[in-house]
Amino acid sequence: YEILFGDWSSDVCSSDLFELANKLHTSIHFSQVSESGFYVFDEDEEAELEIPKLNGIEEYNVGMEMYLKAIQPLDEDIRLLYFYKILEYFAPVVVKIKSNEKLRIKLDSPKAIKPDADLLQSIYNLTRKFDADLKDKDLVKAVFRECFDIIDLFEYLPESLKKRIRGQLKEKDVSYELSEEQMTIAANMLGSIVYSTRNSIVHAKSNYETDKNECVIDDLPELNNFLKHACYSTIKWYNRLPNRSEERRVGKECRTRW
């Protein structure tokens, strides 16, 4: 679809196009025109346009604009980098929210009024865990664990990755019968595969040493289809956050109380 209008970069417009692109399963191209006009159909041409019904339009966030860039006609390896950038953008928010929740629980303890050595050590360990989760290798895994339904999106994965995950879980089927631990294993495994695939694309071929965890090139189109759905869900997840600044509010509250 080609969009011909002026200020297409506005926040409201980006939100509309984000939902439209997802609904129509298509990319949207933007063209600049110097004058307005009307498209005239030929007499023998029937213009039957079906207007899609969109979900409620979400409040704009920068992930929507990144998503619209990712669904443009691109080489599959470049498309994967765009989708990875979306996941990477939201991952620190996920990590901060989970860490702040754990810190808030500790500050609600009666011992927090007069903390002993064990409580202080546990808080120190929590900060070290937070730093570790922010490292590049583990960062995106948090999104896979928290922002979308792995089981629901599993069908979009390439068969080669489905087989690998089923083998790791020792399960014939990946369904909601899995335990919470198994779902976490599947999410972490997928996050690791996407991270390795991204590295194989980004780094110079002469300098990159494979860890044999990447998705094969022939399966990139299917992996990108999975990532498209995952990124869409992640953007919607972010917009559901209370005031979309909950992670900052909770962090400030915890620092103030401590």
Side-chain angles (χ1 to χ4, degrees), residues 66-67 69-86 197-198 200-203 205 217 220-221 224 227:
M66 296 163 70
Y67 181 91
K69 291 179 180 178
I71 62 173
Q72 298 302 307
L74 301 166
D75 291 339
E76 294 298 339
D77 53 351
I78 303 301
R79 188 188 310 281
L80 184 138
L81 296 182
Y82 272 109
F83 284 135
Y84 189 91
K85 185 177 180 181
I86 295 173
T197 306
R198 171 258 190 189
S200 69
I201 295 170
V202 168
H203 298 299
K205 300 298 181 182
I217 296 297
L220 281 185
N224 278 332
L227 289 175

Side-chain angles (χ1 to χ4, degrees), residues 164-180:
R164 285 167 62 178
I165 293 171
R166 287 193 294 259
Q168 180 67 29
L169 298 177
K170 296 181 173 57
E171 296 283 350
K172 291 183 179 180
D173 297 307
V174 173
S175 68
Y176 290 105
E177 299 299 319
L178 295 180
S179 66
E180 198 70 33

Side-chain angles (χ1 to χ4, degrees), residues 201-237:
I201 295 170
V202 168
H203 298 299
K205 300 298 181 182
S206 58
N207 297 331
Y208 179 71
E209 293 185 8
T210 178
D211 58 6
K212 303 188 184 302
N213 193 38
E214 307 90 349
C215 176
V216 297
I217 296 297
D218 291 343
D219 286 343
L220 281 185
E222 286 184 275
L223 179 58
N224 278 332
N225 188 40
F226 166 84
L227 289 175
K228 182 186 75 170
H229 292 290
C231 288
Y232 176 82
S233 295
T234 300
I235 291 168
K236 303 277 278 190
W237 168 88

